[in-house]
Amino acid sequence: MDQFTLNLIVVGLSFALYIGIAIWARAGSTSEFYAANRGVHPVLNGMATAADWMSAASFISMAGIIAFVGYDNSTYLMGWTGGYVLLALLLAPYLRKFGRFTVPDFIGDRFYSQTARIVSVIALLVISTTYVIGQMAGAGVAFSRFLEVSSSTGLWIASAVVFCYAVLGGMKGITYTQVAQYCVLIVAYTIPAIFISLQLTGTFLPQMGLFSADASGTPLLAHLDGLLTDLGFRAYTEHHSNTLDMVLFTMALMIGTAGLPHVIIRFFTVPKVSDARASAGWALVFIALLYTVAPAVGAMARYNITTQMWPDGVTGEAVSLETIETGEQYNWMRNWQTTGLLGWEDKNGDGRIQYYNDASADMQAVAAERGWNGNELTNFNRDILVLANPEIAGLPGWVIALIAAGGLAAALSTAAGLLLAISSAVSHDLIKSVLNPGISEKGEMLAARISMAVAILIATILGLNPPGFAAQVVAIAFGLAAASLFPTIMMGIFSKTMNSAGAVAGMLVGLVVEMVYIFTYVGWFFIPGTNMLANNADNWLFGIQPASFGVVAAILNFVVAYVVLAMTKPAPAEIQDLVESIRVPRGAGVAQSH
């Protein structure tokens, strides 16, 4: 059986499972659509949360960024997992005790203000739309390779699939679909990693293989460092970035995680307050199964790519163009070239493809001596690395098909959660709570489904030209969440006196400052070519990249909120009593009438 047919069978079976579950668990009421009728077991909710969380950024893009940057990008792992600790300790049980369906619902009622509700809806839409761009782009990358179509065609196919099961099922359908997707993605991620670890180091566990010796008897990481530095690249295991930016980036990912609306709403689906905290704990366990493997996947993939480009070592000759065009081991390069995400060019006409860092002064001298005219691996989209990994390592066809299904499961599971957060904000928090309080339950669900369809369309159009790799786009969304929603939720829980004026002012300042800083460097509303300054360290304020600036904007949010509070009256006594009551997370709390 050829690889294309095998891909279709495995991916098709997984999609049939997801859509079947969505039909079986189709939401019949707003409570089921928004919160799965608050009946999800904490272990299942932890698994669904992990699938919701381990998006295209985690599955497809994170290992690719780690592979090409190295140690410095371990910040993604630290920030994203640390955020769940904050979420479990500081937010999840209290928000569940409050008994609402959505984040704007909590903010609107806690700050007794429709203005606060509307501002939080705007923040949620900006965050979730930015986040979903990365998911759809990642899904497009996966579809483009495994269905052998262009990346833009793959993106439209991904949109159609998400539309089928997300619009049908709501939170109830999405929850059980995500449980299935987690099983698919974790098996798909770990099996190739185990194969490759055994192949390179003879060690079964990739986590241990990363620190083992390769076939030459040299520690894998030491060998990789040597290969890269000999080619003019930075050593894989060294720290090179701005330490301030690294710390702020990690913090932005942490507090951004704790403020992400599509993650928070998962904790509204469990029966009891104690289940909310247990769900976060189980989610961390399920996430760790993938996150502890990711560094090994990144390092081993970079090792394999480098040794394939230089089969006789960096002191020998580079791989020949003929070998790339005909050799079985290089099928992966020919397959990915058709997607437009991988490319090479024999610039000096010597029949070989030299892969090296042509920006390095040392390598420029070597290149002049050996007659090279620049790096000839001209295009390598980092988002393809995990999906191409089994092919690079020469693994069996069924493993390649499995990773296809896993990558799509990761991207689509998170996209569905984000789209639910968007549709809930529009239908429940904007239409039901502000514009048309008398709308029927049937009308509200119709509005939710229409808004979800519109969100899918917008995300797809923006995903055709994303402002970076999937993980980079997602990091921008985290900065927005850190700047706007996280401080407001924290003050809503832990500051009894914080009033609506302070909350609204803080949210607006945090969101606007963060958006302006981001758009200055990546383009207004992510439209290519509209940025005012080039997105590089020379132009960043104090060397702080746009994805790290969320911490600064969050601090401004807190400061502005408390300054406004000092100039106005504190929250009414009944609101202060309400805040006091949710600080003791006992009992499930009854969802109030909506």
Side-chain angles (χ1 to χ4, degrees), residues 74-144:
S74 60
T75 49
Y76 283 94
L77 295 169
M78 294 186 294
W80 284 342
T81 46
Y84 263 89
V85 178
L86 290 181
L87 190 59
L89 295 177
L90 299 180
L91 302 183
Y94 306 106
L95 290 172
R96 177 63 190 88
K97 177 69 181 291
F98 203 82
R100 298 296 187 270
F101 285 144
T102 67
V103 171
D105 222 5
F106 166 78
I107 290 175
D109 287 1
R110 160 59 184 87
F111 293 107
Y112 52 96
S113 166
Q114 292 289 55
T115 302
R117 186 189 302 273
I118 293 170
V119 172
S120 64
V121 167
I122 293 170
L124 183 149
L125 293 176
V126 171
I127 294 162
S128 299
T129 302
T130 303
Y131 203 133
V132 83
I133 291 170
Q135 307 317 304
M136 301 310 293
V141 168
F143 271 114
S144 67

Side-chain angles (χ1 to χ4, degrees), residues 180 247 277 286 359 432 451 475 491 513 530 554 571 581:
V247 170
R277 183 166 281 155
F286 292 125
K432 171 75 173 177
S451 60
M491 290 184 289
V513 168
T530 60
S581 71

Side-chain angles (χ1 to χ4, degrees), residues 250-289:
T250 304
M251 291 180 63
L253 293 180
M254 287 180 67
I255 64 176
T257 297
L260 283 175
H262 78 287
V263 173
I264 291 173
I265 61 174
R266 288 239 51 93
F267 299 102
F268 299 157
T269 65
V270 293
K272 299 180 296 183
V273 170
S274 59
D275 293 337
R277 183 166 281 155
S279 292
W282 279 109
L284 270 172
V285 171
F286 292 125
I287 289 168
L289 294 178

Side-chain angles (χ1 to χ4, degrees), residues 194-256:
I194 290 169
F195 269 101
I196 295 169
S197 181
L198 286 169
Q199 188 181 77
L200 292 180
T201 68
T203 305
F204 179 80
L205 289 176
Q207 297 93 326
M208 300 299 294
L210 180 63
F211 303 101
S212 301
D214 60 17
S216 69
T218 307
L220 180 76
L221 289 175
H223 194 172
L224 179 58
D225 276 348
L227 289 171
L228 295 179
T229 53
D230 285 347
L231 293 172
F233 296 105
R234 302 186 306 186
Y236 191 84
T237 58
E238 292 181 7
H239 170 51
H240 302 276
S241 66
N242 179 322
T243 300
L244 172 63
D245 178 69
M246 187 175 183
V247 170
L248 290 178
F249 183 65
T250 304
M251 291 180 63
L253 293 180
M254 287 180 67
I255 64 176

